[in-house]
Amino acid sequence: MQYLETALLVISFLLIVTGVVLLVLARSCAKKEMFENFYGGKNAIYGGFRIFKYEYYQSDKLWACTFLRVVFIALLAVFSLMYLTS
């Protein structure tokens, strides 16, 4: 059981680091319109869950949105598994 908890902790750390990198990369992968006509200025990319919607990304950069979704779903799964094992 201790090995499972250690593995989940390492996986969660790697997912968090990957998520932070993807959040930084999302600014360069998003369309310019994502930053306009939205209350909050340039930080609007993180508002209204726009960061998880495909239509706000450049057509050749949709991989960033997909990976961001997968990382956050995996984080939820890992944290729920960590809660269940404790």
Side-chain angles (χ1 to χ4, degrees):
M1 205 55 144
Q2 184 179 3
Y3 295 116
L4 178 63
E5 292 172 354
T6 305
L8 287 174
L9 189 63
V10 169
I11 291 171
S12 67
F13 174 75
L14 292 175
L15 285 173
I16 289 171
V17 170
T18 306
V20 169
V21 169
L22 285 172
L23 283 174
V24 172
L25 286 177
R27 286 185 175 269
S28 63
C29 297
K31 293 180 182 175
K32 191 174 182 180
E33 300 88 43
M34 191 172 194
F35 301 106
E36 298 171 352
N37 300 327
F38 192 80
Y39 182 74
K42 287 200 167 200
N43 291 327
I45 189 172
Y46 302 112
F49 294 103
R50 286 178 157 199
I51 199 165
F52 294 112
K53 296 179 182 174
Y54 288 117
E55 60 263 19
Y56 293 108
Y57 286 84
Q58 299 172 21
S59 60
D60 59 333
K61 307 280 183 152
L62 293 179
W63 59 268
C65 183
T66 303
F67 286 152
L68 199 59
R69 286 179 175 191
V70 169
V71 164
F72 280 106
I73 290 171
L75 269 174
L76 288 174
V78 167
F79 285 143
S80 62
L81 281 173
M82 288 174 73
Y83 176 75
L84 290 174
T85 59
S86 64

